[in-house]
Amino acid sequence: MTKLWGGRFQKATDHLVDDFHSSISFDQRLYRYDILGSMAHARMLAKQGIIAPEEAQAIIKGLEEILADIEAGRVEFSVAAEDIHMNIEQLLTERIGPVGKKLHTARSRNDQVALDVRMYLKDEINAIIALLRQLQETLLELAEKHLDTVMPGYTHLQRAQPITLAHHLMAYVQMFGRDVDRLQDCRRRTDVLPLGAGALAGTTFPIDPAYVAEQLGFAAVAENSLDAVSDRDFAVEFTAAAALIMVHLSRFCEEIILWSSAEFAFVELDDAYSTGSSMMPQKKNPDVAELTRGKAGRVFGDLMTLLTMLKGLPLAYNKDMQEDKEALFDAVDTVKKCLRVFTPMVASLKVRPENMAGAARGGFTNATDLADYLVKKGVPFREAHEQVGRLVYYCLSKGKSLEELSLEEFKQFAPVVEEDVYRAIDIGQCVAARRVLGGPAPEAVRQAILRARERLEN
């Protein structure tokens, strides 16, 4: 097959080079964006008098037919044609003749691929934002059902203070909200038209990039042709945001894995989101959560691939940049796949409130509240801390909880304690008293849910 760029060459490339050089195996997913971008480019060429209107019409009609054939599965792409851009151009020329060769006037594959990737990524960002908002909505619905479900909060994976399941879930609503913010910010920088930059130095033809940007829905046009074709920072930025999404999913999965174990028994996973053992018939494994946790590493690797690919490249375009797509596509696919299975898994969780409450009552999660009680009685905090620490040690030696101590036992270590101490260290009261902004009290969490819903609606 004659290469579309082969005029300067007197010898065919080796077949191993053709295979090594080709990207059609993965960049074919850009076909729709490549065709839409080419149609907009053809209209602009006609508008500017660079090609005749009837030539543009023939090109656009041919591209529309190719798009329909690809989507109907009637097109087999060629490795010899290297990439999606040259495959489509070759198909076009075969269908409409020499006029198809005029489509590439005033552009290069360098600005063409940058255009396709930006168009693709804008759509994928929108899709992932929609999935994140769906997950947030699922968490809000679950939180509303568990405003009064008391559970232990942890530091160092040790029981620390009592909170509610709703409060815990709302922490992830906040995290995923910031993930949405990052994607929206990334989309703004992705929403810049590079077409018109040519190979690196623009073109001598009187093109109208603003007209192309308007057709394709871009908010801005690249202001430097070198930058337009040589950087992929928008792809790096997206992949970094995707990596953080996976961090948040992975942390949540780790908790679900722990909570569904017999040692915690806080939740039970639905059968539809669990698997069994090939050997042990009693097993119910949290494989969906474990796989999501594991797939975080893929996206971290995708980010490192992009950073490493870019770090040593001189301006402008270099063939190394072909390596951006597989990493970017994998990050997109992995995040979407994980969100699509994670959200219904969480929605179907069976919560065990009695086990959560039992755990909150154990482990002296109300010790801080006892210290606060003493401070309110006039004891300096450091002294209160020491007195409560001694009380906890005493409880451990006697096999008791703080609530089970008599008033006389309390007074041995904290003389200011009165009968009202039992209300102060009641687990439910410990939670309800934390009414500050961002706290676990049901009324505070209810307000947090309302604010989160308002943000989702905007």
Side-chain angles (χ1 to χ4, degrees):
M1 177 182 291
T2 302
K3 305 292 187 185
L4 297 181
W5 45 260
R8 178 250 185 267
F9 291 79
Q10 300 301 308
K11 184 178 180 181
T13 51
D14 187 279
H15 72 281
L16 290 174
V17 173
D18 281 338
D19 183 65
F20 184 68
H21 194 250
S22 176
S23 61
I24 190 61
S25 63
F26 51 85
D27 70 10
Q28 61 183 272
R29 75 162 67 188
L30 297 174
Y31 73 87
R32 183 171 178 272
Y33 303 103
D34 197 74
I35 290 173
L36 292 176
S38 291
M39 291 166 66
H41 183 67
R43 292 189 191 98
M44 183 276 295
L45 292 176
K47 171 182 171 292
Q48 296 300 104
I50 299 169
I51 64 174
E54 58 272 20
E55 291 175 324
Q57 290 171 9
I59 288 170
I60 291 167
K61 184 174 183 296
L63 289 170
E64 288 173 340
E65 291 173 354
I66 292 170
L67 178 59
D69 284 347
I70 293 173
E71 294 184 338
R74 294 191 292 266
V75 171
E76 184 174 342
F77 295 116
S78 167
V79 171
E82 297 180 11
D83 55 33
I84 189 61
H85 325 295
M86 294 180 74
N87 263 271
I88 289 174
E89 184 175 337
Q90 186 167 290
L91 287 168
L92 180 66
T93 303
E94 289 172 358
R95 293 188 183 206
I96 69 171
V99 70
K101 297 179 179 181
K102 293 192 174 186
L103 173 60
H104 208 56
T105 306
R107 75 174 182 183
S108 163
R109 278 189 295 175
N110 295 358
D111 59 349
Q112 190 177 355
V113 67
L115 171 70
D116 293 358
V117 173
R118 285 177 181 267
M119 291 175 68
Y120 161 82
L121 191 52
K122 284 201 300 175
D123 280 354
E124 294 296 353
I125 286 173
N126 290 340
I128 292 172
I129 286 174
L131 289 170
L132 284 168
R133 284 177 166 160
Q134 183 181 350
L135 173 54
Q136 286 182 288
E137 182 59 42
T138 297
L139 295 176
L140 290 173
E141 291 175 4
L142 194 58
E144 285 177 325
K145 296 176 183 176
H146 292 283
L147 285 165
D148 299 305
T149 299
V150 176
M151 66 174 289
Y154 294 84
T155 63
H156 309 279
L157 205 56
Q158 305 292 315
R159 295 173 191 172
Q161 291 180 287
I163 58 170
T164 64
L165 178 57
H167 188 233
H168 194 107
L169 295 170
M170 288 303 293
Y172 284 101
V173 171
Q174 293 294 322
M175 294 181 211
F176 293 127
R178 291 192 296 276
D179 289 328
V180 169
D181 291 344
R182 274 184 283 272
L183 288 175
Q184 290 174 331
D185 204 36
C186 174
R187 183 176 58 192
R188 179 173 62 83
R189 280 180 286 278
T190 304
D191 197 15
V192 178
L193 179 85
L195 201 63
L200 77 160
T203 177
T204 59
F205 290 97
I207 60 172
D208 186 353
Y211 175 73
V212 178
E214 183 180 356
Q215 288 186 82
L216 297 176
F218 278 90
V221 174
E223 296 186 9
N224 183 283
S225 61
L226 284 168
D227 177 54
V229 298
S230 67
D231 207 349
R232 293 293 186 271
D233 56 357
F234 65 94
V236 174
E237 185 176 358
F238 165 80
T239 311
L244 278 171
I245 293 170
M246 293 304 299
V247 166
H248 295 150
L249 286 175
S250 184
R251 294 183 72 181
F252 204 161
C253 284
E254 173 68 10
E255 292 180 327
I256 289 172
I257 292 163
L258 290 171
W259 293 354
S260 63
S261 69
E263 285 71 18
F264 279 76
F266 285 0
V267 300
E268 182 180 348
L269 287 163
D270 190 90
D271 286 357
Y273 299 94
S274 306
T275 62
S277 165
S278 63
M279 184 178 186
M280 297 167 285
Q282 83 281 9
K283 293 293 293 300
K284 185 175 183 180
N285 298 327
D287 280 5
V288 169
E290 290 175 355
L291 266 176
T292 302
R293 183 179 60 183
K295 285 180 182 293
R298 291 180 64 124
V299 181
F300 301 167
D302 295 331
L303 174 59
M304 188 55 64
T305 295
L306 291 173
L307 289 168
T308 306
M309 179 269 293
L310 282 172
K311 75 172 184 64
L313 297 186
L315 298 182
Y317 184 84
N318 296 269
K319 192 65 175 181
D320 312 49
M321 295 171 72
Q322 182 171 292
E323 292 297 303
D324 65 346
K325 292 169 202 62
E326 287 180 286
L328 178 61
F329 295 163
D330 184 69
V332 167
D333 292 346
T334 302
V335 168
K336 288 171 71 177
K337 185 179 294 185
C338 289
L339 286 169
R340 283 172 178 153
V341 72
F342 183 84
T343 298
M345 179 185 70
V346 170
S348 65
L349 283 176
K350 184 175 182 180
V351 177
R352 303 289 192 188
E354 65 284 359
N355 292 348
M356 288 186 168
R361 285 190 291 271
F364 305 99
T365 61
N366 52 359
T368 303
D369 297 87
L370 176 57
D372 289 346
Y373 166 86
L374 296 177
V375 169
K376 291 170 185 175
K377 295 285 188 179
V379 180
F381 179 78
R382 282 300 165 206
E383 290 183 21
H385 189 284
E386 182 181 356
Q387 291 174 7
V388 174
R390 292 169 62 201
L391 273 164
V392 167
Y393 184 80
Y394 174 81
C395 286
L396 289 169
S397 68
K398 299 296 183 181
K400 291 184 175 183
S401 68
L402 288 171
E403 301 95 310
E404 293 171 327
L405 295 178
S406 67
L407 191 59
E408 291 70 26
E409 287 175 304
F410 270 118
K411 284 183 174 292
Q412 289 179 42
F413 303 94
V416 301
V417 169
E418 300 296 341
E419 196 69 42
D420 59 350
V421 71
Y422 296 104
R423 173 170 171 74
I425 63 173
D426 175 78
I427 293 298
Q429 175 59 27
C430 292
V431 173
R434 287 175 161 78
R435 295 183 292 271
V436 296
L437 178 67
E443 62 185 82
V445 177
R446 189 177 290 109
Q447 290 303 310
I449 291 172
L450 290 174
R451 290 192 297 272
R453 287 199 185 281
E454 287 176 4
R455 287 192 291 271
L456 279 176
E457 291 169 3
N458 295 330

